[in-house]
Amino acid sequence: MRSSLPWLVLLVVTAAPASAHHSFAVFFDDQTIIEVTGSVTDFHFTNPHAIISFTVKNAKGEVEPWRAETNAVTLLRRRGWTKDSLTVGETITVEGWRARDGSNYMRMRTVKRADGTVLGTPVSNQRVD
Amino acid sequence: MMARVTTLVLLVILAAWTLVAQGQQPPAKHPNFSGYWSAGRAFRASEAPQGPLPPNTVLLADAGAPELPSGNFGGLKVKAAALAAAMRWKPQDEMSISRVCLPPSIVYSMQGPFPMEIHQGTEFIVIRLEYYDLVRIIFMDGRPHLPASAPHTKVGDSVGRWEGNTLVVDTTHLSESTITNNGLNHSDNVRMIERFWLSGDGKTLMARQEFEDPEVLDNRGARYVAWDRGAANDHIFPYECDPSFAANYQAK
């Protein structure tokens, strides 16, 4: 599904993270960071990458499904994440790199809860660790 | 009692004299690589490589997190057939249930941004990679490589030796797998030589990886990789790759 959400925050960046598992740059726009806010519908905490599924209301009030791919779960664990870090129904804001094909799919950089708390230890730079 | 002690002392002296007379030294104490080593990374400017690269060898700049973009093979001279295959490769091809959890061989895995554990013995050394749960055994007992007919695997057949404080590992019997994570594969005939050494303070493990594959390459490739020593209670996590991840790409 493609989205034209007007409230996506776009930031120009100059560097990209890398996936050791599959090529990051091929699948994600490494020059643009977006922020998407929505409600968690599922959190699949397995390697090679965890998946956060969430729904987002677009400008027309329609609900769109989104997914955010994370780093490897083993790396997330070291940054304080667990399989219970996210609860279905909670509101989160995901920041990351959007899929190049324009679909509602992104690579996560950070996740914030509704109160602004950032989950786990934030990534200090663009490296995957 | 005194006579026994005197006899024992004489025997020890005799043994030591015999060693000296034969020009032999007691077994050297090798550096201890055992422990947890954090995610692989490129060398820092302050970390000097160990000697020059051999002739006709290109240094790949993708150690650690960086990746080479599509169509860029880092200066490797790729033979025509392998190059054509690499250029036909599409990353989407890897995102299938049957392929997404196939581990890369150690040619690629050893430089990735994942930690590892080393368990060093005298007869063999075990390297456990977090990445795809790969486990390497490096035989240090002087045995030859497996016969040519032996199966090839993603970790291959590794034999090692000490050159001073440097561990030199020679690996054959690797199965075909990616070199650069962007479509270029080595063949079953790749051979990799790794040299491992510790920094002066023992806090960093460094390696020079060299590989040659006459079936695929007209030159040789090399990487410098470094790992920082973790705490005594650090450990790798199970990777346990879940192929259902690929469904996310099928559904897009």
Side-chain angles (χ1 to χ4, degrees), chain B residues 170-187:
Chain B
D170 179 356
T171 301
T172 61
H173 291 74
L174 287 163
S175 51
E176 180 180 349
S177 185
T178 187
I179 298 175
T180 47
N181 203 30
N182 62 359
L184 176 61
N185 283 3
H186 64 70
S187 76

Side-chain angles (χ1 to χ4, degrees), chain A residues 18-21 26 47 69 78, chain B residues 65 67 130-132 239 242 249:
Chain A
S19 162
H21 148 73
V26 169
N47 280 315
E69 171 185 314
R78 289 191 182 84
Chain B
E67 290 180 328
E130 183 170 276
Y131 196 36
Y132 284 91
Y239 195 80
D242 175 4
Y249 280 76

Side-chain angles (χ1 to χ4, degrees), chain A residues 6 14 46 61 80 129:
Chain A
T14 57
T46 60
D129 54 351

Side-chain angles (χ1 to χ4, degrees), chain B residues 2 15 19 24 28 32 47 71 76 82-83 85 119 132 134 137 143 159 174 204 227 235 246:
Chain B
M2 181 61 73
L19 277 176
Q24 297 176 353
N32 186 4
E47 293 169 336
L76 290 171
L83 182 61
H119 303 274
Y132 284 91
L134 291 172
I137 299 176
R143 73 180 61 190
V159 296
L174 287 163
T204 304
W227 302 264
H235 49 81

Side-chain angles (χ1 to χ4, degrees), chain A residues 5 10 19 51 53 58 69-70 89-90 98-99 109-110 125:
Chain A
L5 301 174
L10 303 179
S19 162
I51 292 288
S53 301
N58 65 21
E69 171 185 314
T70 76
E90 79 168 298
R98 189 169 188 173
R109 185 163 80 166
T110 59
N125 55 37

Side-chain angles (χ1 to χ4, degrees), chain B:
Chain B
M1 179 67 179
M2 181 61 73
R4 284 186 182 176
V5 172
T6 303
T7 303
L8 186 60
V9 169
L10 287 174
L11 284 173
V12 170
I13 292 173
L14 179 63
W17 178 83
T18 303
L19 277 176
V20 172
Q22 293 176 350
Q24 297 176 353
Q25 298 295 323
K29 183 172 174 56
H30 301 300
N32 186 4
F33 294 169
S34 290
Y36 171 93
W37 298 95
S38 61
R41 59 170 175 81
F43 271 31
R44 299 190 178 105
S46 60
E47 293 169 336
Q50 207 179 51
L53 289 174
N56 198 32
T57 302
V58 65
L59 182 62
L60 300 181
D62 64 346
E67 290 180 328
L68 296 173
S70 294
N72 181 341
F73 306 115
L76 290 171
K77 297 175 182 172
V78 186
K79 290 184 181 293
L83 182 61
M87 299 308 287
R88 283 195 304 272
W89 176 84
K90 295 181 179 61
Q92 291 81 359
D93 297 343
E94 303 299 321
M95 305 310 291
S96 66
I97 299 291
S98 61
R99 292 195 60 80
V100 75
C101 283
L102 292 178
S105 80
I106 57 171
V107 172
Y108 183 78
S109 298
M110 283 300 289
Q111 58 79 49
F114 286 83
M116 64 182 181
E117 290 176 7
I118 297 181
H119 303 274
Q120 181 175 328
T122 54
E123 302 280 312
F124 54 81
I125 296 171
V126 176
I127 301 178
R128 294 181 62 211
L129 304 181
E130 183 170 276
Y131 196 36
Y132 284 91
D133 301 312
L134 291 172
V135 177
R136 303 181 61 184
I137 299 176
I138 300 162
F139 292 102
M140 302 295 294
D141 56 0
R143 73 180 61 190
H145 276 299
L146 294 169
S149 59
H152 289 222
T153 68
K154 296 296 176 63
V155 294
D157 177 49
S158 295
V159 296
R161 66 182 187 279
W162 291 100
E163 290 184 2
N165 288 331
T166 299
L167 172 66
V168 181
V169 180
D170 179 356
T171 301
T172 61
H173 291 74
L174 287 163
S175 51
E176 180 180 349
S177 185
T178 187
I179 298 175
T180 47
N181 203 30
N182 62 359
L184 176 61
N185 283 3
H186 64 70
S187 76
D188 279 5
N189 294 318
V190 70
R191 181 171 198 152
M192 185 163 76
I193 305 290
E194 297 159 287
R195 302 175 67 82
F196 296 88
W197 69 96
L198 288 175
S199 60
D201 62 6
K203 293 180 178 177
T204 304
L205 177 66
M206 289 175 274
R208 184 169 92 190
Q209 171 201 81
E210 298 169 31
F211 56 88
E212 59 186 11
D213 187 348
E215 196 172 311
V216 170
L217 302 172
D218 283 325
N219 61 352
R220 306 165 80 251
R223 289 184 176 104
Y224 286 108
V225 190
W227 302 264
D228 297 311
R229 189 185 285 279
N233 60 349
D234 281 338
H235 49 81
I236 61 171
F237 287 108
Y239 195 80
E240 296 175 341
C241 186
D242 175 4
S244 72
F245 170 75
N248 290 286
Y249 280 76
Q250 308 301 318
K252 285 173 64 180

Side-chain angles (χ1 to χ4, degrees), chain A residues 30-125:
Chain A
D30 58 4
Q31 298 300 302
T32 308
I33 289 180
I34 62 172
E35 269 192 2
V36 186
T37 299
S39 177
V40 176
T41 57
D42 187 48
F43 182 38
H44 198 65
F45 195 63
T46 60
N47 280 315
H49 303 279
I51 292 288
I52 304 167
S53 301
F54 55 110
T55 53
V56 177
K57 276 190 181 177
N58 65 21
K60 299 176 183 173
E62 300 165 336
V63 174
E64 294 182 347
W66 274 73
R67 283 166 295 156
E69 171 185 314
T70 76
N71 299 130
V73 162
T74 52
L75 304 179
L76 283 185
R77 285 185 189 279
R78 289 191 182 84
R79 286 164 40 200
W81 287 65
T82 72
K83 64 181 178 57
D84 300 318
S85 287
L86 293 172
T87 305
V88 171
E90 79 168 298
T91 298
I92 57 170
T93 298
V94 185
E95 179 192 85
W97 298 265
R98 189 169 188 173
R100 286 190 183 278
D101 63 5
S103 61
N104 292 351
Y105 194 85
M106 62 190 293
R107 180 66 176 263
M108 179 206 81
R109 185 163 80 166
T110 59
V111 173
K112 284 186 286 191
R113 299 192 195 278
D115 64 1
T117 306
V118 176
L119 269 71
T121 306
V123 181
S124 59
N125 55 37

